[in-house]
Amino acid sequence: MKLIFIYIVFTIGIWGCVESSKNRNGKASDDKEWWKEAIVYQIYPRSFNDSDGDGIGDIKGITEKLDYIRHLGITAVWLNPIYSSPNDDNGYDVSDYRNIMADFGTMEDFDQMLEGMHERGIKLIMDMVVNHSSDEHKWFKQSRSSRDNPYRNYYHWWPAEKGKPHHRYSLFDEKGDAWKYDSLSNAYYLHYFSVKQPDLNWENPKLRQEVYDIMKFWAEKGVDGFRLDAFQFAAKDTTFPAFPDDLDKNFIQYYAMQEGLHTYLKEMNEQVFSKYDVMSVAEGAGRNFKEAHELVDANRNELNMAYAFDAADIAKPEGYSVVHFKEVFSRWDSAFSEKGWLSIFLSNHDQARLVSRYGNDSPEFRVLSAKMLNTFLLSMRGTPYCYYGDELGMTNIGFETIDQYRDISAINGYKKVLLSGGNVKAYLTSLKFGSRDNGRTPMQWDGTANANFTTGKPWLPVNKNHIEINVKTEELNPRSVLNHFRRMTKLRRENPALIYGSYKLLQPEHPTIYAYIRELGNKKLLVLLNFSSSDSSINLVETSKINHIKINNADDMIIENNKITLTPYQAVICTLD
Ligand code: GLC
């Protein structure tokens, strides 16, 4: 007769199981850093909380919610851009780097928010958008005014008498053309993003100094870190040679990590990062591991951590391979196991919702799969970046028609498909699954009108499911996604093995279960995640060593000899002897 051990762990009881925080400093690793221990919460300010009823989230709105944020157990906030901007790309087109966007409030509001964060032990990471500025920035206005203006070389200009420059691809342009002709000085300027986001010329030392001074301005205010937007594209071969025809499809290959980038980063490090206790992370991690390491190896004095996209692009409307998912995360982990440091994320303001892409947002499985995904993010090696609303299991809104979208990339992408005679229906289907606006709908605070995000008309509709998925309801339910998220942040903060411990993947070929061990000193944690909507079993020799269940999104875990059976989307972390 088989012996059946059934461990019953009620989610509510888990607070009591977490070890004492006295253990926190027990196993100090030589290279301890606050930014490695950080749990980052990303806030898209436009969508978080509107304090003045204009339908747009603002800084005071964030300040009002600081206790909520602290209570999530996160330790740092990454704030998407809040600088003055005409909002062609929701703040990623900056017209004044030393001022606050009128929609978001004032510098006084900012100072109060920062103070409130620091009082609560929360660090603040600012988004620095310096691959490009807005075309409404005074530098660009000057630059375009004449060819001999002192600001001319702050941007990339190509005199029209030399003919049309070689093709460069633009991510947001309706025609995909990164060169825009400007009759004022009979020249083309370069814009890898929208026509209102001209690329800055990093070859110009004056421009570089301006950027470092801006960063120092914010560092002097006391911010704790910088995320460098699109920075891997900042260096360019300014002779603009012809590129092969597959250019548009291999954007990263041709545009990222061009010569000069490391020089600029070293200079930025010397002038800014080394002078303040700030962390640094660039969007993107180069084209391969070698380049990723070159960005973040501590002895090179460039950046602190890499933010790689391989895993964030795996989810597809038709589903994805769990084996592949594991392989990508494990490959990146092993490349960074000795040196360097990674970010761990699956969603951000450029992606659709976590649970709709990587989990299962059906009524039956949304809660379970959202908890499972948050368990994953918060138990991997690397600094986790959790996107606002994912702690509730917020879902895609799933717009049907193009006029519902506000995102320039969706709107201009649509125009491009129309212009090129492409399949508009297929494009709309792909947007419904993957568009950035899915991840930008307002935060769902409660079940009342507009989820209590605003008293006005929200800039982007609130998801109708806020009646059920919202902070207020989830606060009251010990088994909610929110309360599971809080238990996970607590578990991570109190277990250095989840931060600094080694990572070992078990059974890479298992089609549905992601199992791994995090180990530091004599502490071993086994993580078991069922990525499928059916029961899944796994045979593990480690089973006999299971000692204590630290977290479980189901009521129990079924163990028969060495076989563990997980229910749909079950997530368990247990200690091993
Ligand atoms: C980055 C940002 C994205 C923005 C783009 C241009 O990719 O994450 O939101 O649209 O840069 O600044």
Side-chain angles (χ1 to χ4, degrees):
M1 203 179 78
K2 281 184 188 163
L3 258 184
I4 303 183
F5 295 101
I6 301 192
Y7 290 85
I8 302 193
V9 176
F10 288 97
T11 323
I12 321 165
I14 287 180
W15 285 99
C17 304
V18 175
E19 293 149 287
S20 144
S21 59
K22 280 190 195 134
N23 289 344
R24 263 190 91 178
N25 301 318
K27 298 259 176 269
S29 150
D30 284 342
D31 57 353
K32 278 183 103 181
E33 303 282 357
W34 69 260
W35 41 267
K36 292 185 180 172
E37 293 169 25
I39 302 175
V40 182
Y41 184 62
Q42 186 192 341
I43 296 182
Y44 197 66
R46 215 175 173 72
S47 303
F48 196 63
N49 185 31
D50 173 20
S51 72
D52 59 6
D54 65 357
I56 298 173
D58 47 43
I59 292 176
K60 272 193 177 149
I62 296 172
T63 307
E64 282 174 4
K65 298 293 182 185
L66 286 180
D67 285 331
Y68 168 78
I69 296 168
R70 184 189 59 83
H71 192 37
L72 290 173
I74 60 87
T75 61
V77 164
W78 155 23
L79 197 57
N80 290 105
I82 40 104
Y83 319 101
S84 303
S85 164
N87 275 315
D88 191 50
D89 183 21
N90 288 359
Y92 281 95
D93 45 323
V94 181
S95 53
D96 183 351
Y97 292 92
R98 287 186 170 86
N99 246 315
I100 304 292
M101 188 194 299
D103 286 344
F104 290 167
T106 63
M107 193 59 91
E108 208 188 331
D109 297 341
F110 175 86
D111 292 339
Q112 273 169 13
M113 176 188 72
L114 182 60
E115 203 186 320
M117 285 184 176
H118 286 168
E119 274 166 16
R120 290 166 179 81
I122 301 168
K123 309 246 188 209
L124 178 62
I125 300 160
M126 300 288 279
D127 212 321
M128 283 306 300
V129 191
V130 287
N131 168 70
H132 46 268
S133 73
S134 161
D135 66 340
E136 296 184 34
H137 194 291
K138 64 176 186 226
W139 298 336
F140 190 74
K141 288 184 186 162
Q142 291 282 334
S143 184
R144 78 178 276 252
S145 65
S146 77
R147 288 190 180 188
D148 51 13
N149 186 282
Y151 287 89
R152 186 67 169 179
N153 284 333
Y154 274 43
Y155 297 86
H156 298 284
W157 290 97
W158 182 271
E161 63 273 16
K162 280 169 71 181
K164 193 157 187 219
H166 288 301
H167 176 61
R168 287 295 178 271
Y169 181 69
S170 164
L171 289 155
F172 294 168
D173 187 70
E174 336 177 348
K175 296 195 188 110
D177 184 357
W179 290 109
K180 167 79 180 163
Y181 176 70
D182 189 25
S183 59
L184 204 60
S185 63
N186 190 34
Y188 296 87
Y189 68 85
L190 186 73
H191 62 94
Y192 281 178
F193 294 91
S194 93
V195 75
K196 285 182 69 59
Q197 293 170 297
D199 282 46
L200 290 160
N201 179 6
W202 274 77
E203 274 187 4
N204 181 347
K206 277 197 192 143
L207 174 273
R208 301 206 297 273
Q209 198 54 54
E210 298 252 24
V211 171
Y212 307 146
D213 290 347
I214 290 164
M215 293 173 86
K216 285 184 203 161
F217 169 84
W218 291 100
E220 290 292 334
K221 276 189 168 288
V223 308
D224 306 285
F226 296 101
R227 176 247 184 201
L228 300 179
D229 180 72
F231 199 73
Q232 52 177 352
F233 306 125
K236 281 131 186 145
D237 176 347
T238 52
T239 65
F240 296 108
F243 278 162
D245 288 346
D246 61 345
L247 177 67
D248 300 9
K249 292 198 187 80
N250 286 312
F251 191 78
I252 301 281
Q253 281 309 319
Y254 295 108
Y255 288 65
M257 307 299 299
Q258 298 299 297
E259 212 183 312
L261 197 81
H262 292 295
T263 315
Y264 307 149
L265 284 172
K266 279 191 174 35
E267 193 178 65
M268 189 185 281
N269 188 301
E270 189 192 312
Q271 293 225 18
V272 188
F273 304 148
S274 65
K275 299 209 159 64
Y276 303 88
D277 183 17
V278 289
M279 64 84 101
S280 54
V281 52
E283 186 191 21
R287 294 167 294 190
N288 48 50
F289 289 143
K290 184 172 169 286
E291 289 184 349
H293 273 292
E294 285 167 357
L295 289 171
V296 300
D297 274 355
N299 48 9
R300 288 176 57 95
N301 295 324
E302 295 185 26
L303 298 170
N304 292 143
M305 68 175 100
Y307 189 94
F309 281 99
D310 286 16
D313 293 333
I314 291 175
K316 298 279 176 290
E318 61 278 12
Y320 63 96
S321 150
V322 179
V323 172
H324 178 51
F325 183 91
K326 295 192 276 188
E327 187 272 323
V328 171
F329 272 100
S330 305
R331 186 156 36 87
W332 275 89
D333 182 86
S334 86
F336 281 74
S337 59
E338 303 295 327
K339 266 180 131 189
W341 193 255
L342 289 174
S343 313
I344 298 290
F345 72 99
L346 283 172
S347 54
N348 61 33
H349 64 292
D350 292 330
Q351 313 280 350
R353 281 284 164 196
L354 176 69
V355 72
S356 301
R357 292 178 80 221
Y358 287 92
N360 184 329
D361 62 9
S362 70
E364 196 181 356
F365 295 122
R366 182 190 65 83
V367 169
L368 281 168
S369 63
K371 287 180 185 172
M372 187 276 287
L373 291 164
N374 284 324
T375 309
F376 167 71
L377 291 168
L378 291 162
S379 63
M380 283 294 282
R381 176 158 54 184
T383 300
Y385 285 70
C386 307
Y387 188 55
Y388 88 94
D390 285 344
E391 77 275 25
L392 307 176
M394 275 174 59
T395 66
N396 279 358
I397 192 158
F399 291 143
E400 299 287 346
T401 57
I402 194 64
D403 50 286
Q404 292 175 294
Y405 288 92
R406 293 289 165 273
D407 174 19
I408 182 165
S409 117
I411 296 167
N412 283 359
Y414 182 84
K415 288 183 190 157
K416 199 167 148 200
V417 175
L418 272 183
L419 277 172
S420 62
N423 185 339
V424 172
K425 210 169 150 220
Y427 184 70
L428 281 176
T429 308
S430 74
L431 281 183
K432 193 171 175 182
F433 175 75
S435 86
R436 311 198 293 182
D437 277 344
N438 274 312
R440 296 177 177 183
T441 59
M443 178 69 170
Q444 296 169 197
W445 295 103
D446 66 28
T448 62
N450 290 323
N452 216 359
F453 157 74
T454 180
T455 51
K457 183 175 183 299
W459 74 277
L460 194 64
V462 172
N463 198 317
K464 287 200 180 72
N465 64 20
H466 72 275
I467 299 196
E468 179 206 344
I469 306 170
N470 64 67
V471 172
K472 194 168 173 199
T473 308
E474 296 201 23
E475 291 259 355
L476 297 173
N477 177 2
R479 301 170 76 101
S480 64
V481 182
L482 175 61
N483 281 316
H484 182 85
F485 183 88
R486 288 171 172 159
R487 280 190 285 275
M488 269 311 299
T489 55
K490 185 165 167 27
L491 191 70
R492 186 176 182 92
R493 288 195 323 271
E494 295 180 349
N495 283 276
L498 289 179
I499 301 164
Y500 294 111
S502 62
Y503 158 93
K504 187 171 126 202
L505 175 66
L506 306 174
Q507 298 197 17
E509 298 305 325
H510 195 294
T512 48
I513 292 181
Y514 194 163
Y516 48 95
I517 293 178
R518 303 293 316 276
E519 181 173 1
L520 186 69
N522 57 9
K523 191 74 186 273
K524 264 192 184 186
L525 290 162
L526 171 67
V527 182
L528 295 165
L529 309 166
N530 181 4
F531 272 70
S532 87
S533 56
S534 319
D535 285 354
S536 298
S537 298
I538 188 166
N539 283 301
L540 289 175
V541 286
E542 287 79 5
T543 309
S544 61
K545 301 206 170 92
I546 290 179
N547 163 328
H548 192 87
I549 295 187
K550 310 288 277 180
I551 206 145
N552 187 352
N553 68 352
D555 290 338
D556 50 29
M557 179 164 81
I558 300 169
I559 302 177
E560 287 173 80
N561 298 324
N562 275 345
K563 188 170 106 182
I564 299 175
T565 301
L566 300 177
T567 49
Y569 299 107
Q570 184 167 7
V572 182
I573 299 182
C574 34
T575 48
L576 297 177
D577 280 333

PDB file of all heavy atoms in Angstrom, residues 199-213:
ATOM      1  N   ASP A 199      16.270  61.918 -31.757  1.00  0.00           N
ATOM      2  CA  ASP A 199      17.374  61.293 -31.018  1.00  0.00           C
ATOM      3  C   ASP A 199      18.459  62.314 -30.698  1.00  0.00           C
ATOM      4  O   ASP A 199      18.850  63.125 -31.552  1.00  0.00           O
ATOM      5  CB  ASP A 199      17.991  60.158 -31.845  1.00  0.00           C
ATOM      6  CG  ASP A 199      17.122  58.912 -31.796  1.00  0.00           C
ATOM      7  OD1 ASP A 199      15.899  59.051 -31.964  1.00  0.00           O
ATOM      8  OD2 ASP A 199      17.667  57.820 -31.586  1.00  0.00           O
ATOM      9  N   LEU A 200      18.943  62.223 -29.458  1.00  0.00           N
ATOM     10  CA  LEU A 200      20.019  63.117 -29.018  1.00  0.00           C
ATOM     11  C   LEU A 200      21.360  62.600 -29.526  1.00  0.00           C
ATOM     12  O   LEU A 200      21.565  61.389 -29.676  1.00  0.00           O
ATOM     13  CB  LEU A 200      20.032  63.184 -27.485  1.00  0.00           C
ATOM     14  CG  LEU A 200      18.836  63.940 -26.892  1.00  0.00           C
ATOM     15  CD1 LEU A 200      18.621  63.584 -25.426  1.00  0.00           C
ATOM     16  CD2 LEU A 200      19.029  65.455 -27.047  1.00  0.00           C
ATOM     17  N   ASN A 201      22.269  63.527 -29.761  1.00  0.00           N
ATOM     18  CA  ASN A 201      23.584  63.160 -30.299  1.00  0.00           C
ATOM     19  C   ASN A 201      24.595  62.991 -29.167  1.00  0.00           C
ATOM     20  O   ASN A 201      25.174  63.958 -28.681  1.00  0.00           O
ATOM     21  CB  ASN A 201      24.036  64.248 -31.278  1.00  0.00           C
ATOM     22  CG  ASN A 201      25.398  63.933 -31.860  1.00  0.00           C
ATOM     23  OD1 ASN A 201      25.956  62.860 -31.618  1.00  0.00           O
ATOM     24  ND2 ASN A 201      25.928  64.867 -32.627  1.00  0.00           N
ATOM     25  N   TRP A 202      24.815  61.743 -28.787  1.00  0.00           N
ATOM     26  CA  TRP A 202      25.713  61.458 -27.664  1.00  0.00           C
ATOM     27  C   TRP A 202      27.185  61.665 -28.012  1.00  0.00           C
ATOM     28  O   TRP A 202      28.041  61.661 -27.133  1.00  0.00           O
ATOM     29  CB  TRP A 202      25.447  60.047 -27.120  1.00  0.00           C
ATOM     30  CG  TRP A 202      24.325  60.133 -26.127  1.00  0.00           C
ATOM     31  CD1 TRP A 202      22.994  60.249 -26.410  1.00  0.00           C
ATOM     32  CD2 TRP A 202      24.457  60.209 -24.709  1.00  0.00           C
ATOM     33  NE1 TRP A 202      22.279  60.386 -25.237  1.00  0.00           N
ATOM     34  CE2 TRP A 202      23.152  60.349 -24.188  1.00  0.00           C
ATOM     35  CE3 TRP A 202      25.532  60.158 -23.818  1.00  0.00           C
ATOM     36  CZ2 TRP A 202      22.914  60.458 -22.810  1.00  0.00           C
ATOM     37  CZ3 TRP A 202      25.288  60.250 -22.453  1.00  0.00           C
ATOM     38  CH2 TRP A 202      23.996  60.406 -21.969  1.00  0.00           C
ATOM     39  N   GLU A 203      27.483  61.856 -29.282  1.00  0.00           N
ATOM     40  CA  GLU A 203      28.886  62.146 -29.638  1.00  0.00           C
ATOM     41  C   GLU A 203      29.277  63.540 -29.165  1.00  0.00           C
ATOM     42  O   GLU A 203      30.451  63.863 -29.060  1.00  0.00           O
ATOM     43  CB  GLU A 203      29.063  62.067 -31.159  1.00  0.00           C
ATOM     44  CG  GLU A 203      29.341  60.663 -31.603  1.00  0.00           C
ATOM     45  CD  GLU A 203      29.685  60.573 -33.079  1.00  0.00           C
ATOM     46  OE1 GLU A 203      29.779  61.619 -33.773  1.00  0.00           O
ATOM     47  OE2 GLU A 203      29.847  59.437 -33.532  1.00  0.00           O
ATOM     48  N   ASN A 204      28.283  64.360 -28.920  1.00  0.00           N
ATOM     49  CA  ASN A 204      28.549  65.742 -28.544  1.00  0.00           C
ATOM     50  C   ASN A 204      28.806  65.847 -27.018  1.00  0.00           C
ATOM     51  O   ASN A 204      27.891  65.632 -26.215  1.00  0.00           O
ATOM     52  CB  ASN A 204      27.329  66.589 -28.946  1.00  0.00           C
ATOM     53  CG  ASN A 204      27.509  68.052 -28.634  1.00  0.00           C
ATOM     54  OD1 ASN A 204      28.444  68.427 -27.904  1.00  0.00           O
ATOM     55  ND2 ASN A 204      26.630  68.879 -29.164  1.00  0.00           N
ATOM     56  N   PRO A 205      30.037  66.192 -26.616  1.00  0.00           N
ATOM     57  CA  PRO A 205      30.344  66.238 -25.173  1.00  0.00           C
ATOM     58  C   PRO A 205      29.481  67.235 -24.401  1.00  0.00           C
ATOM     59  O   PRO A 205      29.182  67.029 -23.226  1.00  0.00           O
ATOM     60  CB  PRO A 205      31.820  66.651 -25.114  1.00  0.00           C
ATOM     61  CG  PRO A 205      32.262  66.880 -26.501  1.00  0.00           C
ATOM     62  CD  PRO A 205      31.171  66.518 -27.462  1.00  0.00           C
ATOM     63  N   LYS A 206      29.042  68.286 -25.089  1.00  0.00           N
ATOM     64  CA  LYS A 206      28.195  69.283 -24.400  1.00  0.00           C
ATOM     65  C   LYS A 206      26.855  68.673 -24.020  1.00  0.00           C
ATOM     66  O   LYS A 206      26.325  68.904 -22.940  1.00  0.00           O
ATOM     67  CB  LYS A 206      27.917  70.459 -25.341  1.00  0.00           C
ATOM     68  CG  LYS A 206      29.023  71.467 -25.357  1.00  0.00           C
ATOM     69  CD  LYS A 206      28.467  72.748 -25.967  1.00  0.00           C
ATOM     70  CE  LYS A 206      29.590  73.689 -26.282  1.00  0.00           C
ATOM     71  NZ  LYS A 206      29.383  74.443 -27.514  1.00  0.00           N
ATOM     72  N   LEU A 207      26.302  67.903 -24.952  1.00  0.00           N
ATOM     73  CA  LEU A 207      25.025  67.235 -24.659  1.00  0.00           C
ATOM     74  C   LEU A 207      25.207  66.265 -23.500  1.00  0.00           C
ATOM     75  O   LEU A 207      24.399  66.218 -22.561  1.00  0.00           O
ATOM     76  CB  LEU A 207      24.527  66.521 -25.930  1.00  0.00           C
ATOM     77  CG  LEU A 207      23.285  65.633 -25.913  1.00  0.00           C
ATOM     78  CD1 LEU A 207      23.529  64.199 -25.539  1.00  0.00           C
ATOM     79  CD2 LEU A 207      22.145  66.201 -25.070  1.00  0.00           C
ATOM     80  N   ARG A 208      26.310  65.517 -23.536  1.00  0.00           N
ATOM     81  CA  ARG A 208      26.537  64.531 -22.467  1.00  0.00           C
ATOM     82  C   ARG A 208      26.614  65.234 -21.117  1.00  0.00           C
ATOM     83  O   ARG A 208      26.030  64.791 -20.132  1.00  0.00           O
ATOM     84  CB  ARG A 208      27.813  63.721 -22.734  1.00  0.00           C
ATOM     85  CG  ARG A 208      27.781  62.959 -24.053  1.00  0.00           C
ATOM     86  CD  ARG A 208      28.674  61.745 -24.015  1.00  0.00           C
ATOM     87  NE  ARG A 208      30.076  62.056 -23.829  1.00  0.00           N
ATOM     88  CZ  ARG A 208      30.942  62.331 -24.804  1.00  0.00           C
ATOM     89  NH1 ARG A 208      30.519  62.354 -26.065  1.00  0.00           N
ATOM     90  NH2 ARG A 208      32.209  62.577 -24.543  1.00  0.00           N
ATOM     91  N   GLN A 209      27.319  66.361 -21.092  1.00  0.00           N
ATOM     92  CA  GLN A 209      27.445  67.093 -19.832  1.00  0.00           C
ATOM     93  C   GLN A 209      26.078  67.584 -19.337  1.00  0.00           C
ATOM     94  O   GLN A 209      25.776  67.516 -18.161  1.00  0.00           O
ATOM     95  CB  GLN A 209      28.424  68.269 -20.013  1.00  0.00           C
ATOM     96  CG  GLN A 209      28.956  68.817 -18.704  1.00  0.00           C
ATOM     97  CD  GLN A 209      29.594  67.730 -17.826  1.00  0.00           C
ATOM     98  OE1 GLN A 209      30.482  67.014 -18.269  1.00  0.00           O
ATOM     99  NE2 GLN A 209      29.120  67.598 -16.586  1.00  0.00           N
ATOM    100  N   GLU A 210      25.263  68.043 -20.279  1.00  0.00           N
ATOM    101  CA  GLU A 210      23.907  68.497 -19.892  1.00  0.00           C
ATOM    102  C   GLU A 210      23.157  67.347 -19.214  1.00  0.00           C
ATOM    103  O   GLU A 210      22.497  67.543 -18.202  1.00  0.00           O
ATOM    104  CB  GLU A 210      23.094  68.900 -21.126  1.00  0.00           C
ATOM    105  CG  GLU A 210      23.665  70.047 -21.918  1.00  0.00           C
ATOM    106  CD  GLU A 210      22.859  71.343 -21.760  1.00  0.00           C
ATOM    107  OE1 GLU A 210      22.163  71.492 -20.741  1.00  0.00           O
ATOM    108  OE2 GLU A 210      22.964  72.176 -22.670  1.00  0.00           O
ATOM    109  N   VAL A 211      23.284  66.150 -19.799  1.00  0.00           N
ATOM    110  CA  VAL A 211      22.545  65.002 -19.241  1.00  0.00           C
ATOM    111  C   VAL A 211      23.079  64.666 -17.854  1.00  0.00           C
ATOM    112  O   VAL A 211      22.307  64.448 -16.912  1.00  0.00           O
ATOM    113  CB  VAL A 211      22.631  63.775 -20.184  1.00  0.00           C
ATOM    114  CG1 VAL A 211      22.048  62.532 -19.505  1.00  0.00           C
ATOM    115  CG2 VAL A 211      21.899  64.049 -21.492  1.00  0.00           C
ATOM    116  N   TYR A 212      24.401  64.648 -17.687  1.00  0.00           N
ATOM    117  CA  TYR A 212      24.956  64.325 -16.359  1.00  0.00           C
ATOM    118  C   TYR A 212      24.507  65.377 -15.342  1.00  0.00           C
ATOM    119  O   TYR A 212      24.199  65.041 -14.193  1.00  0.00           O
ATOM    120  CB  TYR A 212      26.484  64.233 -16.384  1.00  0.00           C
ATOM    121  CG  TYR A 212      27.021  63.293 -17.457  1.00  0.00           C
ATOM    122  CD1 TYR A 212      28.222  63.552 -18.115  1.00  0.00           C
ATOM    123  CD2 TYR A 212      26.312  62.149 -17.821  1.00  0.00           C
ATOM    124  CE1 TYR A 212      28.700  62.711 -19.106  1.00  0.00           C
ATOM    125  CE2 TYR A 212      26.778  61.302 -18.825  1.00  0.00           C
ATOM    126  CZ  TYR A 212      27.968  61.591 -19.466  1.00  0.00           C
ATOM    127  OH  TYR A 212      28.427  60.760 -20.442  1.00  0.00           O
ATOM    128  N   ASP A 213      24.467  66.626 -15.766  1.00  0.00           N
ATOM    129  CA  ASP A 213      24.019  67.678 -14.837  1.00  0.00           C
ATOM    130  C   ASP A 213      22.554  67.465 -14.429  1.00  0.00           C
ATOM    131  O   ASP A 213      22.187  67.678 -13.275  1.00  0.00           O
ATOM    132  CB  ASP A 213      24.193  69.067 -15.466  1.00  0.00           C
ATOM    133  CG  ASP A 213      25.672  69.442 -15.584  1.00  0.00           C
ATOM    134  OD1 ASP A 213      26.514  68.743 -14.962  1.00  0.00           O
ATOM    135  OD2 ASP A 213      25.993  70.405 -16.308  1.00  0.00           O
TER     136      ASP A 213
END
